[in-house]
Amino acid sequence: MDEFSRFVDWDKMDVCAQSQDTKELTCTDLHELKQLARQGYWAKNHSLRAKVYHKLISNIPCRTVTPDANVYRDIVVKITGKRNSSSLPLPEFVDNSLIPTYCLNAEGVGAVRKIILCIANQFPDISFCPALPSVIALLLHYSKDEAECFEQVCRILACNDPSKRLIDQTFLAFESSCMTFGDLVNKYCQAAHKLMVAVSEDVLEVYSDWQRWLFGELPMAYIARVFDVFLVEGYKVLYRVALALLKFFHKVRAGQPMESDSIQQDIRAFVRDIAKSVSPERLLEKAFAIRLFSRKEIQLLQMANEKALQQKGITVKQKSCLLMFQQNVHLAVHAENFKSEIVSVKEMRDIWSWIPERFALCQPLLLFTTLEHGCSLSRFYSHSEGHEPTLLLIKTTAKEVCGAYLSTDWSERRRGGNKLSFFGTGECFVFRLQPEVERYEWVIIKHPELASTGSETENHAQPASSTLSSSSIPSDPSDRLSPFLAARHFNLPSKTASMFMAGSSECIIVGGGDGQALYLDADLNHGRTSHCNTFNNQPLCSENFQISILEVWGFRD
């Protein structure tokens, strides 16, 4: 076929899909490259794709000393000897990962193992990299020999651009990426997330499979298209495609019984057989239709998740650490230690499935309850301040149950002095548990006039003085418990950039999703909601309600 065909079993490839056009790629503009990659410009020309990969990988900024093809030729015999390549043991850092063949011939399949072992020799700092076998198997398709493939993989691994994340190489990076993916599913695939919570005892275990869906289960034609864009746009593309896979899985399997006893196995099977329902073009189209967070915001979220894992001492893949991690995440709400007058253990675990993954590592801690501390807003503040985030639970006299996840410390309200002060981030949300369970995504508080009437409304309607300015953001993003910076992240106007929570000596307001907002007065006996009829949903609770019990919960390490 061409000079890059040495490791390819063309009998297994769709040769008809391989165009023989002598197309060339002269473009260097990043924006144009993105468009060409997404459109599949080089997808049907094997030789052109190989040349594009070589060009893109050659431009990756790397460490000064990065192993190249000559290094591979020097060490391969010393490391692998004359043993049959199929019997070569793999290093622990690939975690017994699947080694996809991707239509490789016998020589190619053996070459994957040899290259992995040589990389282990040259990169002793790699401790966990389950995606590596798939990346090597794919790049062998577009390499002249093993040494060239080795060099290309080494350049990807040795990338030293702090803004360009490529492949996870430690357990900490991998596990935090799984938590980040869980956060993104929680926000962008709520229907699928609801299904995962309903059918799985271990939601994070399901989401920990997300890289396997891409680098293991996804057929060759699909992962190659994903890799085309990945080399141009980076790690964020992987999140996009994994979210799209989950959306398609939920759409195709909605209402159908599970095919196995495990939702994990069902998703894996769906991804393996994705050609039956979704084309590569449709998958990428779906992936890029998701209005995902910016690369910087995702990086901040990843850093926050890494910090949470480090604080728990979970940095390497050890059985004891994993057991503790799973207990923290999935049994954070212990039946014997949890007691609420508003929600059951099961309901609290449902709420726990909605909160950001880094806080799901914590256990609930009761900070305030009207049954013990009385109906005083000042006591509400005094018991809640110093805790970030917090969870607000309300039971009305009509037996309705609703609440809110509040991302920011209530002490932030003091920025506005005695005036109603707006603050918070886009991680805030409100929810209803009774009579039906519903979570409402974030929305800025669109009705500040709930807090007052008459002339006071005019003062509260323009909360510009209470908006957090960019100068107040810490220079070190890892110091922020909540990485979402509302003004930049959601492209909100500056006057409404932080209008998710509001507090004064007279009331509190929490903005919810889909037009929902919750208002509580100073005596914590009465409340009301704002519900925008534009959205097709049920109100949070009665428009005007009386509070039976109110609780505030914090998060204990």
Side-chain angles (χ1 to χ4, degrees):
M1 286 285 185
D2 58 42
E3 59 184 327
F4 303 101
S5 301
R6 174 176 171 179
F7 303 106
V8 182
D9 185 342
W10 288 102
D11 291 336
K12 297 178 181 178
M13 293 283 286
D14 183 4
V15 182
C16 296
Q18 297 297 325
S19 169
Q20 300 305 310
D21 295 344
T22 56
K23 291 192 295 186
E24 294 294 333
L25 184 70
T26 57
C27 159
T28 57
D29 177 70
L30 181 60
H31 179 73
E32 188 177 350
L33 267 176
K34 284 183 178 181
Q35 295 305 313
L36 293 175
R38 293 184 185 188
Q39 294 166 7
Y41 180 81
W42 53 80
K44 292 187 178 182
N45 188 310
H46 191 266
S47 179
L48 178 60
R49 179 180 259 157
K51 294 174 182 176
V52 171
Y53 279 9
H54 181 78
K55 180 178 180 180
L56 293 174
I57 294 173
S58 296
N59 289 332
I60 294 175
C62 296
R63 305 170 192 166
T64 304
V65 180
T66 298
D68 59 13
N70 290 327
V71 170
Y72 182 82
R73 297 186 185 102
D74 289 341
I75 67 174
V76 62
V77 175
K78 299 175 186 176
I79 292 173
T80 63
K82 295 182 179 181
R83 288 177 293 174
N84 187 321
S85 57
S86 63
S87 65
L88 293 172
L90 293 177
E92 290 186 3
F93 65 68
V94 298
D95 193 40
N96 295 318
S97 302
L98 293 174
I99 299 186
T101 58
Y102 290 153
C103 305
L104 292 174
N105 56 28
E107 183 184 6
V109 173
V112 174
R113 287 179 174 267
K114 292 163 66 177
I115 294 171
I116 290 174
L117 288 171
C118 290
I119 285 174
N121 174 267
Q122 294 295 303
F123 290 83
D125 52 335
I126 295 180
S127 59
F128 196 76
C129 192
L132 185 60
S134 177
V135 172
I136 293 173
L138 179 63
L139 287 177
L140 274 172
H141 271 263
Y142 307 102
S143 302
K144 296 177 182 177
D145 55 29
E146 294 173 15
E148 183 178 87
C149 180
F150 171 84
E151 179 174 326
Q152 293 193 76
V153 176
C154 286
R155 291 194 65 83
I156 292 173
L157 293 172
C159 175
N160 62 359
D161 183 349
S163 66
K164 194 178 184 72
R165 178 180 181 152
L166 293 176
I167 297 179
D168 296 328
Q169 300 174 44
T170 66
F171 181 71
L172 179 63
F174 172 81
E175 199 62 41
S176 63
S177 78
C178 296
M179 293 171 66
T180 302
F181 180 69
D183 287 326
L184 297 177
V185 173
N186 203 354
K187 183 169 184 65
Y188 293 104
C189 306
Q190 290 187 37
H193 181 66
K194 190 174 182 179
L195 174 64
M196 301 301 119
V197 173
V199 301
S200 173
E201 294 181 0
D202 195 339
V203 178
L204 186 57
E205 185 178 350
V206 175
Y207 297 151
S208 293
D209 245 12
W210 79 278
Q211 288 195 27
R212 175 173 175 153
W213 303 342
L214 304 174
F215 298 112
E217 306 293 356
L218 207 56
M220 166 69 189
Y222 291 75
I223 187 58
R225 286 295 308 276
V226 173
F227 207 75
D228 291 347
V229 190
F230 167 74
L231 286 177
V232 178
E233 301 189 37
Y235 199 91
K236 182 178 174 181
V237 170
L238 305 182
Y239 283 132
R240 284 188 175 280
V241 176
L243 289 170
L245 287 171
L246 200 57
K247 282 178 175 286
F248 278 122
F249 171 79
H250 180 262
K251 180 180 180 180
V252 173
R253 297 290 177 83
Q256 298 181 14
M258 290 178 57
E259 295 185 355
S260 70
D261 295 333
S262 166
I263 190 70
Q264 273 183 292
Q265 296 299 330
D266 277 13
I267 297 175
R268 290 175 185 176
F270 172 78
V271 176
R272 280 196 300 272
D273 299 330
I274 193 170
K276 296 178 180 178
S277 53
V278 181
S279 67
E281 292 75 21
R282 182 73 185 97
L283 178 63
L284 288 179
E285 181 183 334
K286 185 76 167 179
F288 287 104
I290 300 171
R291 298 177 63 85
L292 201 59
F293 295 161
S294 70
R295 183 180 290 104
K296 185 171 184 179
E297 293 295 337
I298 291 177
Q299 182 182 17
L300 289 172
L301 179 56
Q302 182 97 8
M303 290 169 64
N305 284 331
E306 284 191 10
K307 186 174 182 179
L309 288 168
Q310 288 172 326
Q311 289 172 343
K312 291 290 182 181
I314 303 167
T315 58
V316 295
K317 188 174 183 182
Q318 295 177 350
K319 199 167 184 179
S320 58
C321 286
L322 283 176
L323 180 60
M324 179 182 71
F325 179 56
Q326 291 166 351
Q327 288 176 339
N328 278 329
V329 174
H330 307 293
L331 299 177
V333 186
H334 294 281
E336 62 273 17
N337 299 329
F338 175 77
K339 181 175 173 55
S340 168
E341 299 300 327
I342 298 178
V343 298
S344 65
V345 171
K346 181 185 181 304
E347 288 172 324
M348 195 60 150
R349 285 179 177 168
D350 287 343
I351 296 171
W352 234 242
S353 74
W354 297 332
I355 65 176
E357 292 284 359
R358 63 192 183 280
F359 296 119
L361 297 170
C362 305
Q363 297 181 35
L365 173 67
L366 184 62
L367 304 175
F368 174 86
T369 170
T370 51
L371 292 180
E372 179 181 345
H373 302 105
C375 300
S376 165
L377 188 55
S378 62
R379 283 196 289 272
F380 169 96
Y381 286 138
S382 66
H383 283 80
S384 301
E385 288 177 1
H387 295 271
E388 182 178 294
T390 54
L391 193 67
L392 176 68
L393 297 176
I394 297 170
K395 185 174 184 178
T396 72
T397 54
K399 301 192 182 303
E400 299 164 309
V401 175
C402 62
Y405 171 80
L406 307 170
S407 65
T408 306
D409 192 331
W410 278 105
S411 61
E412 288 288 322
R413 77 187 193 285
R414 294 188 183 135
R415 288 176 178 269
N418 294 324
K419 296 180 180 180
L420 186 66
S421 176
F422 294 84
F423 52 98
T425 74
E427 286 189 313
C428 294
F429 63 86
V430 295
F431 56 86
R432 183 183 70 227
L433 294 177
Q434 297 290 345
E436 294 178 357
V437 177
E438 186 69 51
R439 176 193 169 196
Y440 301 92
E441 267 295 349
W442 75 273
V443 72
I444 60 173
I445 299 170
K446 296 183 177 180
H447 303 281
E449 67 276 5
L450 280 172
S452 57
T453 57
S455 61
E456 290 182 332
T457 301
E458 297 178 5
N459 296 329
H460 295 156
Q462 300 293 335
S465 62
S466 66
T467 299
L468 297 178
S469 66
S470 59
S471 61
S472 69
I473 298 170
S475 58
D476 182 0
S478 66
D479 288 339
R480 293 183 57 87
L481 282 176
S482 177
F484 300 116
L485 313 182
R488 289 188 295 107
H489 186 83
F490 297 109
N491 296 319
L492 300 175
S494 60
K495 289 185 178 181
T496 57
S498 53
M499 294 181 66
F500 300 95
M501 303 165 56
S504 70
S505 59
E506 299 178 355
C507 68
I508 63 174
I509 307 176
V510 179
D514 294 345
Q516 304 282 354
L518 180 66
Y519 161 82
L520 303 178
D521 61 15
D523 62 12
L524 298 185
N525 281 320
H526 300 86
R528 53 187 180 272
T529 60
S530 166
H531 173 234
C532 178
N533 292 324
T534 304
F535 299 93
N536 184 22
N537 58 53
Q538 298 297 316
L540 189 62
C541 61
S542 302
E543 185 174 352
N544 292 281
F545 58 87
Q546 287 189 309
I547 299 172
S548 174
I549 309 170
L550 182 147
E551 295 175 349
V552 179
W553 292 80
F555 293 74
R556 179 177 59 198
D557 290 334

